mmCIF file of all heavy atoms in Angstrom:
data_model
loop_
_atom_site.group_PDB
_atom_site.id
_atom_site.type_symbol
_atom_site.label_atom_id
_atom_site.label_comp_id
_atom_site.label_asym_id
_atom_site.label_seq_id
_atom_site.Cartn_x
_atom_site.Cartn_y
_atom_site.Cartn_z
ATOM 1 N N THR V 1 1.900 4.994 -7.664
ATOM 2 C CA THR V 1 0.700 5.638 -7.164
ATOM 3 C C THR V 1 -0.476 4.703 -7.465
ATOM 4 O O THR V 1 -0.715 4.369 -8.620
ATOM 5 C CB THR V 1 0.477 7.000 -7.848
ATOM 6 O OG1 THR V 1 1.641 7.795 -7.678
ATOM 7 C CG2 THR V 1 -0.726 7.715 -7.271
ATOM 8 N N THR V 2 -1.169 4.285 -6.418
ATOM 9 C CA THR V 2 -2.295 3.367 -6.573
ATOM 10 C C THR V 2 -3.538 4.003 -5.969
ATOM 11 O O THR V 2 -3.502 4.477 -4.834
ATOM 12 C CB THR V 2 -2.022 2.024 -5.873
ATOM 13 O OG1 THR V 2 -0.784 1.500 -6.346
ATOM 14 C CG2 THR V 2 -3.124 1.021 -6.135
ATOM 15 N N THR V 3 -4.620 4.002 -6.720
ATOM 16 C CA THR V 3 -5.891 4.521 -6.239
ATOM 17 C C THR V 3 -6.849 3.349 -6.054
ATOM 18 O O THR V 3 -7.150 2.642 -7.010
ATOM 19 C CB THR V 3 -6.487 5.533 -7.237
ATOM 20 O OG1 THR V 3 -5.536 6.553 -7.474
ATOM 21 C CG2 THR V 3 -7.768 6.139 -6.710
ATOM 22 N N PHE V 4 -7.266 3.154 -4.816
ATOM 23 C CA PHE V 4 -8.219 2.091 -4.492
ATOM 24 C C PHE V 4 -9.618 2.686 -4.459
ATOM 25 O O PHE V 4 -9.815 3.813 -4.020
ATOM 26 C CB PHE V 4 -7.894 1.470 -3.135
ATOM 27 C CG PHE V 4 -6.568 0.779 -3.088
ATOM 28 C CD1 PHE V 4 -5.432 1.449 -2.685
ATOM 29 C CD2 PHE V 4 -6.454 -0.543 -3.459
ATOM 30 C CE1 PHE V 4 -4.204 0.820 -2.641
ATOM 31 C CE2 PHE V 4 -5.240 -1.195 -3.413
ATOM 32 C CZ PHE V 4 -4.106 -0.505 -3.006
ATOM 33 N N PHE V 5 -10.591 1.909 -4.917
ATOM 34 C CA PHE V 5 -11.978 2.364 -4.951
ATOM 35 C C PHE V 5 -12.840 1.316 -4.260
ATOM 36 O O PHE V 5 -12.886 0.162 -4.693
ATOM 37 C CB PHE V 5 -12.415 2.553 -6.409
ATOM 38 C CG PHE V 5 -13.738 3.241 -6.578
ATOM 39 C CD1 PHE V 5 -13.832 4.619 -6.471
ATOM 40 C CD2 PHE V 5 -14.880 2.516 -6.846
ATOM 41 C CE1 PHE V 5 -15.050 5.260 -6.639
ATOM 42 C CE2 PHE V 5 -16.103 3.147 -7.008
ATOM 43 C CZ PHE V 5 -16.186 4.522 -6.906
ATOM 44 N N SER V 6 -13.495 1.724 -3.185
ATOM 45 C CA SER V 6 -14.353 0.802 -2.444
ATOM 46 C C SER V 6 -15.683 0.631 -3.156
ATOM 47 O O SER V 6 -16.343 1.609 -3.503
ATOM 48 C CB SER V 6 -14.587 1.329 -1.029
ATOM 49 O OG SER V 6 -15.500 0.495 -0.356
ATOM 50 N N ILE V 7 -16.071 -0.622 -3.379
ATOM 51 C CA ILE V 7 -17.351 -0.893 -4.031
ATOM 52 C C ILE V 7 -18.308 -1.603 -3.074
ATOM 53 O O ILE V 7 -19.303 -2.177 -3.487
ATOM 54 C CB ILE V 7 -17.163 -1.702 -5.334
ATOM 55 C CG1 ILE V 7 -16.458 -3.035 -5.082
ATOM 56 C CG2 ILE V 7 -16.419 -0.873 -6.359
ATOM 57 C CD1 ILE V 7 -16.366 -3.919 -6.318
ATOM 58 N N ALA V 8 -17.996 -1.554 -1.803
ATOM 59 C CA ALA V 8 -18.853 -2.117 -0.753
ATOM 60 C C ALA V 8 -19.081 -1.029 0.291
ATOM 61 O O ALA V 8 -18.348 -0.043 0.345
ATOM 62 C CB ALA V 8 -18.203 -3.338 -0.122
ATOM 63 N N SER V 9 -20.093 -1.230 1.128
ATOM 64 C CA SER V 9 -20.377 -0.216 2.149
ATOM 65 C C SER V 9 -19.263 -0.132 3.184
ATOM 66 O O SER V 9 -19.030 0.905 3.776
ATOM 67 C CB SER V 9 -21.704 -0.517 2.833
ATOM 68 O OG SER V 9 -21.658 -1.795 3.424
ATOM 69 N N ARG V 10 -18.537 -1.233 3.365
ATOM 70 C CA ARG V 10 -17.383 -1.242 4.272
ATOM 71 C C ARG V 10 -16.357 -2.188 3.690
ATOM 72 O O ARG V 10 -16.676 -3.289 3.265
ATOM 73 C CB ARG V 10 -17.791 -1.731 5.658
ATOM 74 C CG ARG V 10 -16.639 -1.681 6.632
ATOM 75 C CD ARG V 10 -16.995 -2.290 7.974
ATOM 76 N NE ARG V 10 -15.929 -2.180 8.936
ATOM 77 C CZ ARG V 10 -14.776 -2.837 8.890
ATOM 78 N NH1 ARG V 10 -14.538 -3.639 7.890
ATOM 79 N NH2 ARG V 10 -13.855 -2.690 9.814
ATOM 80 N N ALA V 11 -15.092 -1.757 3.685
ATOM 81 C CA ALA V 11 -14.044 -2.604 3.126
ATOM 82 C C ALA V 11 -12.747 -2.416 3.898
ATOM 83 O O ALA V 11 -12.434 -1.317 4.342
ATOM 84 C CB ALA V 11 -13.822 -2.265 1.656
ATOM 85 N N ASP V 12 -12.009 -3.508 4.073
ATOM 86 C CA ASP V 12 -10.681 -3.471 4.681
ATOM 87 C C ASP V 12 -9.665 -3.716 3.578
ATOM 88 O O ASP V 12 -9.860 -4.586 2.725
ATOM 89 C CB ASP V 12 -10.529 -4.559 5.749
ATOM 90 C CG ASP V 12 -11.425 -4.299 6.950
ATOM 91 O OD1 ASP V 12 -11.620 -3.122 7.301
ATOM 92 O OD2 ASP V 12 -11.922 -5.276 7.524
ATOM 93 N N ILE V 13 -8.578 -2.960 3.618
ATOM 94 C CA ILE V 13 -7.534 -3.119 2.624
ATOM 95 C C ILE V 13 -6.240 -3.483 3.343
ATOM 96 O O ILE V 13 -5.766 -2.742 4.200
ATOM 97 C CB ILE V 13 -7.309 -1.820 1.821
ATOM 98 C CG1 ILE V 13 -8.588 -1.413 1.103
ATOM 99 C CG2 ILE V 13 -6.174 -1.989 0.836
ATOM 100 C CD1 ILE V 13 -8.513 -0.070 0.439
ATOM 101 N N GLY V 14 -5.689 -4.631 2.989
ATOM 102 C CA GLY V 14 -4.382 -5.018 3.498
ATOM 103 C C GLY V 14 -3.358 -4.767 2.411
ATOM 104 O O GLY V 14 -3.513 -5.224 1.285
ATOM 105 N N TYR V 15 -2.330 -4.011 2.725
ATOM 106 C CA TYR V 15 -1.327 -3.666 1.714
ATOM 107 C C TYR V 15 0.034 -3.702 2.372
ATOM 108 O O TYR V 15 0.278 -2.999 3.348
ATOM 109 C CB TYR V 15 -1.615 -2.266 1.158
ATOM 110 C CG TYR V 15 -0.757 -1.890 -0.014
ATOM 111 C CD1 TYR V 15 -1.064 -2.347 -1.288
ATOM 112 C CD2 TYR V 15 0.360 -1.094 0.139
ATOM 113 C CE1 TYR V 15 -0.288 -2.013 -2.372
ATOM 114 C CE2 TYR V 15 1.146 -0.755 -0.932
ATOM 115 C CZ TYR V 15 0.813 -1.208 -2.196
ATOM 116 O OH TYR V 15 1.591 -0.886 -3.264
ATOM 117 N N SER V 16 0.897 -4.540 1.878
ATOM 118 C CA SER V 16 2.234 -4.615 2.471
ATOM 119 C C SER V 16 3.277 -4.418 1.383
ATOM 120 O O SER V 16 3.024 -4.634 0.205
ATOM 121 C CB SER V 16 2.437 -5.966 3.164
ATOM 122 O OG SER V 16 2.357 -6.993 2.195
ATOM 123 N N THR V 17 4.433 -4.009 1.809
ATOM 124 C CA THR V 17 5.540 -3.787 0.885
ATOM 125 C C THR V 17 6.844 -4.070 1.627
ATOM 126 O O THR V 17 6.886 -3.998 2.849
ATOM 127 C CB THR V 17 5.504 -2.356 0.322
ATOM 128 O OG1 THR V 17 6.521 -2.222 -0.654
ATOM 129 C CG2 THR V 17 5.699 -1.324 1.403
ATOM 130 N N GLY V 18 7.876 -4.415 0.913
ATOM 131 C CA GLY V 18 9.157 -4.721 1.552
ATOM 132 C C GLY V 18 10.292 -4.007 0.853
ATOM 133 O O GLY V 18 10.123 -3.429 -0.211
ATOM 134 N N TYR V 19 11.452 -4.053 1.482
ATOM 135 C CA TYR V 19 12.640 -3.450 0.888
ATOM 136 C C TYR V 19 13.873 -4.130 1.455
ATOM 137 O O TYR V 19 13.829 -4.793 2.479
ATOM 138 C CB TYR V 19 12.682 -1.941 1.128
ATOM 139 C CG TYR V 19 12.666 -1.536 2.575
ATOM 140 C CD1 TYR V 19 13.862 -1.343 3.272
ATOM 141 C CD2 TYR V 19 11.471 -1.355 3.259
ATOM 142 C CE1 TYR V 19 13.850 -0.980 4.604
ATOM 143 C CE2 TYR V 19 11.456 -0.998 4.582
ATOM 144 C CZ TYR V 19 12.647 -0.809 5.247
ATOM 145 O OH TYR V 19 12.641 -0.452 6.560
ATOM 146 N N ASP V 20 15.001 -3.958 0.756
ATOM 147 C CA ASP V 20 16.249 -4.567 1.216
ATOM 148 C C ASP V 20 17.065 -3.548 2.013
ATOM 149 O O ASP V 20 16.611 -2.443 2.284
ATOM 150 C CB ASP V 20 17.046 -5.108 0.018
ATOM 151 C CG ASP V 20 17.368 -4.023 -0.985
ATOM 152 O OD1 ASP V 20 17.568 -2.857 -0.584
ATOM 153 O OD2 ASP V 20 17.430 -4.341 -2.179
ATOM 154 N N ASN V 21 18.300 -3.890 2.346
ATOM 155 C CA ASN V 21 19.108 -3.023 3.201
ATOM 156 C C ASN V 21 19.669 -1.800 2.479
ATOM 157 O O ASN V 21 20.270 -0.939 3.104
ATOM 158 C CB ASN V 21 20.243 -3.813 3.866
ATOM 159 C CG ASN V 21 21.242 -4.334 2.847
ATOM 160 O OD1 ASN V 21 20.967 -4.378 1.647
ATOM 161 N ND2 ASN V 21 22.406 -4.741 3.319
ATOM 162 N N GLU V 22 19.497 -1.688 1.171
ATOM 163 C CA GLU V 22 19.980 -0.507 0.458
ATOM 164 C C GLU V 22 18.843 0.384 -0.021
ATOM 165 O O GLU V 22 19.070 1.451 -0.545
ATOM 166 C CB GLU V 22 20.842 -0.925 -0.741
ATOM 167 C CG GLU V 22 22.162 -1.538 -0.322
ATOM 168 C CD GLU V 22 23.113 -1.718 -1.501
ATOM 169 O OE1 GLU V 22 22.828 -1.203 -2.589
ATOM 170 O OE2 GLU V 22 24.128 -2.371 -1.308
ATOM 171 N N SER V 23 17.636 -0.060 0.149
ATOM 172 C CA SER V 23 16.485 0.708 -0.302
ATOM 173 C C SER V 23 16.005 1.641 0.795
ATOM 174 O O SER V 23 16.280 1.447 1.966
ATOM 175 C CB SER V 23 15.332 -0.221 -0.682
ATOM 176 O OG SER V 23 15.701 -1.061 -1.742
ATOM 177 N N SER V 24 15.279 2.642 0.379
ATOM 178 C CA SER V 24 14.631 3.513 1.355
ATOM 179 C C SER V 24 13.182 3.689 0.928
ATOM 180 O O SER V 24 12.849 3.552 -0.247
ATOM 181 C CB SER V 24 15.343 4.867 1.437
ATOM 182 O OG SER V 24 15.260 5.522 0.192
ATOM 183 N N ARG V 25 12.331 3.992 1.894
ATOM 184 C CA ARG V 25 10.915 4.155 1.622
ATOM 185 C C ARG V 25 10.494 5.542 2.051
ATOM 186 O O ARG V 25 10.844 6.008 3.133
ATOM 187 C CB ARG V 25 10.071 3.144 2.394
ATOM 188 C CG ARG V 25 10.251 1.732 1.942
ATOM 189 C CD ARG V 25 9.994 1.626 0.500
ATOM 190 N NE ARG V 25 9.080 0.563 0.186
ATOM 191 C CZ ARG V 25 8.648 0.366 -1.034
ATOM 192 N NH1 ARG V 25 9.004 1.156 -1.999
ATOM 193 N NH2 ARG V 25 7.838 -0.610 -1.292
ATOM 194 N N ASN V 26 9.729 6.201 1.223
ATOM 195 C CA ASN V 26 9.149 7.480 1.568
ATOM 196 C C ASN V 26 7.657 7.364 1.310
ATOM 197 O O ASN V 26 7.204 7.540 0.196
ATOM 198 C CB ASN V 26 9.774 8.598 0.729
ATOM 199 C CG ASN V 26 9.262 9.952 1.115
ATOM 200 O OD1 ASN V 26 8.628 10.102 2.157
ATOM 201 N ND2 ASN V 26 9.510 10.945 0.296
ATOM 202 N N ILE V 27 6.913 7.020 2.332
ATOM 203 C CA ILE V 27 5.472 6.808 2.194
ATOM 204 C C ILE V 27 4.760 8.092 2.596
ATOM 205 O O ILE V 27 4.936 8.595 3.690
ATOM 206 C CB ILE V 27 5.006 5.628 3.065
ATOM 207 C CG1 ILE V 27 5.746 4.368 2.602
ATOM 208 C CG2 ILE V 27 3.506 5.456 2.984
ATOM 209 C CD1 ILE V 27 5.500 3.167 3.435
#
């Protein structure tokens, strides 16, 4: 669990994640 906090009037957040063939993701 990650909480991002914007400290500018406008901000873009790029966030990527990966997994292998046995993993599953529940976003």
Side-chain angles (χ1 to χ4, degrees):
T1 305
T2 306
T3 305
F4 296 92
F5 190 80
S6 175
I7 58 175
S9 59
R10 183 186 183 290
D12 293 325
I13 300 173
Y15 188 80
S16 63
T17 185
Y19 58 92
D20 59 33
N21 65 344
E22 291 190 10
S23 298
S24 62
R25 292 305 230 175
N26 184 13
I27 300 174

